[in-house]
Amino acid sequence: GLKFLSVADQTYHWGILDREVYLAIWIVVFALLGLYLLGKIRFENDEPVEHLSVPRLTLAIAVFSFVVYLIPGMWGAPLKALSGYLPPITTQDFVMTPGGGHHQAAAKTVEAGTVESKYDLHMPLGLHGYFTLEEGLAAAKQQNKPVFVDVTGHGCVNCREMEARVWGDPQVHELLRNHFVIVALYSDDKTKLAKEDWVTDAETGKVYKDLGRANSYIARTLWNVNAQPNYILLSPDGEMLVPVRGYDLSIDGFVEFLKSGIDKYHHMMEE
């Protein structure tokens, strides 16, 4: 239930369930569950727990172990095993992990003065980037770099897992940070677009007035993509460099995917 509420909180930008609030609720709930299993908490129709059975004790140990695992997350521990179920770490106010504060600062600074600053979105892992394809392509032309498009969503568990387990790899992170202009297209964001940013379906004439639907339309029409996550490598002119890559936790495969896009782009430039 909290997971689905958290997704709604992120897509509508309510700011209710920040990461530390979400974790605090989980820690309290599971701690109370552990006490219940030990018989320290009883409800009206419960019988007293005179002796603990082995299964009940085993469950209590598992629950309290989970609580202990969650606690460091209150200070910014990544908790990779739960990465797909937690709000992004950029929503957390206090991070003690090495570089965590710098990553947050970088993520919150990159949008300053750009169109996407009004969308209240941030790149993961301190990466810099954009949240509209138009601005990403324009930046790629200025920087003479290929574009890494991340078709993603606030409610996409696999997206968060990819970011934590694959993007967090030092080699992948370095390639993304130094060799690409990153564009994250959130397909479920409910932010209303300014009238000049509306997207019109060329075939039906339907007008998409929020960020998520506009991004979803772009992904469907340009790359035939209708799911998250999907990753597209483009030239600054919007030409696809290599085939689309979807959810795959192979770090070596992702590195090869990125390098093949870089090589193809350099080959295009030489021609």
Side-chain angles (χ1 to χ4, degrees), residues 29-105:
V29 167
F30 280 96
L32 291 174
L33 173 59
L35 292 173
Y36 177 81
L37 289 170
L38 293 177
K40 302 300 181 182
I41 295 176
R42 290 171 53 200
F43 295 108
E44 183 177 358
N45 297 318
D46 290 342
E47 296 180 359
V49 178
E50 300 290 346
H51 304 284
L52 286 178
S53 64
V54 172
R56 196 179 185 104
L57 178 60
T58 301
L59 284 174
I61 291 171
V63 168
F64 281 118
S65 297
F66 184 61
V67 170
V68 171
Y69 175 76
L70 291 176
I71 289 173
M74 295 293 292
W75 290 273
L79 305 181
K80 290 185 178 182
L82 299 172
S83 56
Y85 300 92
L86 300 177
I89 199 167
T90 51
T91 66
Q92 187 152 335
D93 295 325
F94 182 65
V95 177
M96 281 185 60
T97 52
H102 298 298
H103 283 181
Q104 278 189 280

Side-chain angles (χ1 to χ4, degrees), residues 5 12 35 88-89 182 196 246-247:
L5 178 59
Y12 286 97
L35 292 173
I89 199 167
I182 304 173
E196 61 270 18
Y247 172 75

Side-chain angles (χ1 to χ4, degrees), residues 9-26:
D9 181 63
Q10 293 173 61
T11 57
Y12 286 97
H13 300 274
W14 294 331
I16 299 172
L17 280 180
D18 289 347
R19 189 173 186 266
E20 64 267 36
V21 175
Y22 188 94
L23 283 171
I25 295 172
W26 269 28

Side-chain angles (χ1 to χ4, degrees), residues 60-249:
I61 291 171
V63 168
F64 281 118
S65 297
F66 184 61
V67 170
V68 171
Y69 175 76
L70 291 176
I71 289 173
M74 295 293 292
W75 290 273
L79 305 181
K80 290 185 178 182
L82 299 172
S83 56
Y85 300 92
L86 300 177
I89 199 167
T90 51
T91 66
Q92 187 152 335
D93 295 325
F94 182 65
V95 177
M96 281 185 60
T97 52
H102 298 298
H103 283 181
Q104 278 189 280
K108 293 181 179 179
T109 301
V110 65
E111 296 91 2
T114 61
V115 172
E116 65 268 16
S117 61
K118 63 188 175 185
Y119 299 143
D120 190 29
L121 295 169
H122 309 288
M123 290 287 171
L125 306 175
L127 293 167
H128 292 203
Y130 301 87
F131 299 96
T132 61
L133 183 61
E134 182 182 6
E135 283 202 348
L137 292 174
K141 291 178 181 178
Q142 291 180 348
Q143 300 176 33
N144 191 26
K145 290 181 178 180
V147 180
F148 174 87
V149 179
D150 173 24
V151 180
T152 185
H154 295 292
C156 175
V157 173
N158 289 339
C159 300
R160 304 292 86 78
E161 188 176 12
M162 284 291 295
E163 291 163 5
R165 295 177 179 269
V166 179
W167 292 29
D169 176 79
Q171 189 175 3
V172 173
H173 193 271
E174 189 275 333
L175 287 169
L176 291 174
R177 185 179 67 249
N178 296 325
H179 298 277
F180 289 92
V181 169
I182 304 173
V183 178
L185 299 183
Y186 280 86
S187 60
D188 59 358
D189 195 280
K190 305 301 182 182
T191 302
K192 298 299 181 183
L193 296 171
K195 189 172 183 179
E196 61 270 18
D197 296 328
W198 290 357
V199 174
T200 303
D201 190 320
E203 294 183 359
T204 66
K206 184 175 181 180
V207 179
Y208 299 100
K209 300 180 181 181
D210 63 60
L211 182 64
R213 291 182 181 180
N215 286 336
S216 183
Y217 169 74
I218 290 170
R220 290 197 313 270
T221 54
L222 293 184
W223 312 303
N224 196 31
V225 164
N226 196 28
Q228 309 90 41
N230 272 289
Y231 308 105
I232 301 98
L233 304 185
L234 305 174
S235 71
D237 294 324
E239 180 180 347
M240 189 181 298
L241 299 174
V242 295
V244 176
R245 184 177 179 87
Y247 172 75
D248 189 329
L249 294 177

